[in-house]
Amino acid sequence: MYTTSDIGIAAYLQLKKFKLLECKRLETGKFYFAFEDPTTNCHTLALEFLDSDFCKFDNNVRNLKKILFS
């Protein structure tokens, strides 16, 4: 199993066809995503995400939200 609190990484893993086992918001306000990871590739893909255009897109969305809500 692979877990992350990053919604961008979670979306990327779903795009790569990893099965989402659990998705919730913790009492602290952080997100929690758990993925089935039989091949232990999720960690590698999470690092791949950081160098991808998907990450740039995710950062742009976050920045636009900050502008809208500030």
Side-chain angles (χ1 to χ4, degrees):
M1 183 183 324
Y2 178 83
T3 63
T4 184
S5 62
D6 188 290
I7 196 167
I9 291 173
Y12 189 68
L13 292 174
Q14 280 194 300
L15 183 71
K16 296 292 189 175
K17 308 290 187 209
F18 280 84
K19 183 178 179 183
L20 181 64
L21 300 174
E22 191 173 1
C23 174
K24 63 184 176 182
R25 193 166 188 174
L26 303 175
E27 290 180 18
T28 61
K30 288 183 81 170
F31 298 128
Y32 176 85
F33 303 97
F35 287 88
E36 189 175 279
D37 188 15
T39 60
T40 63
N41 271 348
C42 284
H43 181 74
T44 302
L45 287 172
L47 293 175
E48 178 182 292
F49 168 77
L50 296 175
D51 289 328
S52 72
D53 284 339
F54 299 103
C55 185
K56 293 173 190 168
F57 174 82
D58 184 52
N59 287 332
N60 287 336
V61 169
R62 289 176 200 233
N63 289 334
L64 289 169
K65 281 182 171 180
K66 286 178 188 176
I67 290 169
L68 290 171
F69 293 107
S70 63

